[in-house]
Amino acid sequence: MKIAIPRERRPDETRVAATPETVKKLKALGFEVVVEAGAGTAAAFPDAAYEAAGAALAADAAAAYEQADIVFKVQRPMMAGEGDLYEVGLLRPGTTLFSPLGALSNPALIEALAAAKVDAFALELTPRITRAQSMDVLSSQANLAGYKAVIDAAAAFSRAFPMMMTPAGTIAPAKVFIMGVGVAGLQAIATARRLGGVVSATDVRPATKEQVQSLGAKFIAVEDEEFKAAETAEGYAREMSAAYQSKQAALLAEHIKAQDIVITTALIPGRKAPVLVSEDMVKTMKPGSVILDMAVEQGGNCPLSEFGRTVIRHDVKIIGPANLPAGLATDASALFARNLLNFITPLVDTETKALKISMDDEVVKGALVTQGGAVIHPSLKAAA
């Protein structure tokens, strides 16, 4: 069976879905690997490195797709009208696709993949179970994004991060507030602490309090009865009541006034990002403060943030990054590629070297969205 690694074509994307390291391991599993020429260049993986690892090079996307039994991608394939290449149309019937698809937010894409008779795994739906941790592309990329968010915010901030005592006087440390303590938020806390910031953080999930404190940051939240039941079985934050949101907003508004840098990370799968920092809150922040909105692609945690742009509103610099992991393309690609390798390895039949997909497998059941020309994932069938 042949695995194709096409070059990513969506704007701001520099990652690649396989590295020379994982190509060698995929070949050891019995696969042939075809890499589109230039697919890894932006991530510092030249074509020669793929050839040395045993991959064949395809001259263009069409040549890569036409050979593929399996396709690995970092970004969902483009639909007609989304770019200069209709990638869904290049997928042959019977192809198995492994890619983050944004399945809960892109029903038209899922229906198109089903119509094309593509068996598609939406990697963002990989269940949060112990066995699947090494397959979790969301976590691996969010970890790097949390780090990059702090680095970018520090670069945009007009002051130093750590306390500095000099003959000319003392420089106070930057006060950094992390809103949302998932994988990205925890890495942001750790990075801000390493840089010498005074860090605080908030989240509606009770389990995060201990995590925040273990990293040396201060936890900020309204800790009432609703707060104690604010986490789903899958580990995501529940949407809170209007009453709780009002109390939490009042607490955060007071806290934000004193902060130099605010990094927001809060997302609800398949939903618009919740507003955490209102315009009124922005108005109370000190001139020269920085907000970095990691949720800007899903509408933003701050209504003033703009996707892919840095703007100044009320003397506050607001950053809406387009693709934080892509700013660390080499490491992000390496982790993503290993996630895919770990995902596909248990699906390979050791005798035939073909995919053996069983719906009894909890990972398969959680991530497989289309099969045999039909949308099969329960959440997507219900939405349809």
Side-chain angles (χ1 to χ4, degrees):
M1 299 189 79
K2 287 187 178 181
I3 298 176
I5 314 297
R7 178 170 61 84
E8 300 294 331
R9 286 173 164 79
R10 289 190 179 273
D12 306 303
E13 187 53 77
T14 57
R15 293 170 291 175
V16 62
T19 64
E21 174 202 8
T22 61
V23 165
K24 288 180 182 177
K25 293 177 179 178
L26 290 167
K27 287 185 67 64
L29 288 173
F31 294 110
E32 294 180 53
V33 182
V34 180
V35 178
E36 182 184 352
T41 302
F45 298 113
D47 290 345
Y50 286 108
E51 288 185 300
L57 291 182
D60 53 27
Y65 279 107
E66 72 181 7
Q67 301 178 55
D69 301 297
I70 297 166
V71 173
F72 284 177
K73 280 186 56 60
V74 174
Q75 293 270 8
R76 66 187 186 276
M78 289 192 288
M79 297 275 282
E82 284 193 303
D84 59 358
L85 186 69
Y86 176 34
E87 291 180 294
V88 173
L90 293 177
L91 289 162
R92 297 184 304 147
T95 301
T96 303
L97 172 67
F98 294 83
S99 174
L101 299 175
L104 298 176
S105 304
N106 295 289
L109 170 63
I110 304 306
E111 291 169 10
L113 291 171
K117 293 184 170 53
V118 173
D119 295 345
F121 284 89
L123 298 179
E124 77 279 3
L125 298 180
T126 301
R128 290 190 160 183
I129 57 176
T130 301
R131 181 168 66 86
Q133 286 180 346
S134 66
M135 311 171 189
D136 188 353
V137 297
L138 291 184
S139 292
S140 74
Q141 303 304 291
N143 188 56
L144 290 171
Y147 163 82
K148 189 67 163 62
V150 175
I151 299 302
D152 288 357
F157 188 44
S158 59
R159 290 172 40 206
F161 240 76
M163 174 183 283
M164 295 184 183
M165 301 183 72
T166 78
T170 299
I171 296 173
K175 294 180 179 177
V176 184
F177 186 35
I178 311 299
M179 305 185 76
V181 189
V183 174
L186 289 169
Q187 183 56 249
I189 292 169
T191 302
R193 287 274 295 155
R194 290 189 198 104
L195 291 177
V198 175
V199 185
S200 56
T202 188
D203 198 289
V204 298
R205 295 169 298 156
T208 61
K209 180 178 180 178
E210 185 177 341
Q211 296 170 333
V212 168
Q213 293 173 334
S214 72
L215 291 171
K218 182 179 180 181
F219 188 72
I220 308 293
V222 174
E223 299 184 48
D224 60 9
E225 290 303 313
E226 185 174 357
F227 172 80
K228 294 175 183 177
E231 188 169 351
T232 68
E234 293 78 21
Y236 294 105
R238 294 186 190 278
E239 189 166 8
M240 307 300 280
S241 70
Y244 182 90
Q245 289 179 34
S246 178
K247 290 187 290 184
Q248 179 80 341
L251 174 65
L252 299 183
E254 191 62 31
H255 186 68
I256 280 173
K257 289 180 184 179
Q259 303 307 302
D260 297 306
I261 293 174
V262 175
I263 295 175
T264 68
T265 75
L267 290 170
I268 300 171
R271 302 283 295 278
K272 187 178 184 296
V275 173
L276 302 182
V277 183
S278 67
E279 183 170 4
D280 286 341
M281 292 179 184
V282 175
K283 290 177 181 178
T284 69
M285 296 180 71
K286 295 175 288 186
S289 300
V290 174
I291 297 171
L292 190 144
D293 189 346
M294 292 182 66
V296 66
E297 190 171 1
Q298 286 183 225
N301 296 142
C302 176
L304 301 181
S305 62
E306 298 182 22
F307 180 72
R309 297 189 62 205
T310 297
V311 298
I312 297 176
R313 300 287 184 266
H314 309 296
D315 297 319
V316 174
K317 191 174 290 185
I318 304 172
I319 305 170
N323 188 337
L324 283 167
L328 300 165
T330 303
D331 286 336
S333 297
L335 294 182
F336 189 97
R338 290 174 199 152
N339 290 146
L340 277 172
L341 175 67
N342 293 334
F343 196 107
I344 200 171
T345 297
L347 305 181
V348 179
D349 187 294
T350 54
E351 293 183 4
T352 66
K353 305 299 182 183
L355 290 185
K356 187 176 182 180
I357 296 172
S358 169
M359 294 307 293
D360 293 329
D361 186 319
E362 192 172 357
V363 174
V364 170
K365 188 165 34 177
L368 187 62
V369 292
T370 63
Q371 187 178 44
V375 178
I376 66 165
H377 196 279
S379 298
L380 301 174
K381 287 200 295 185

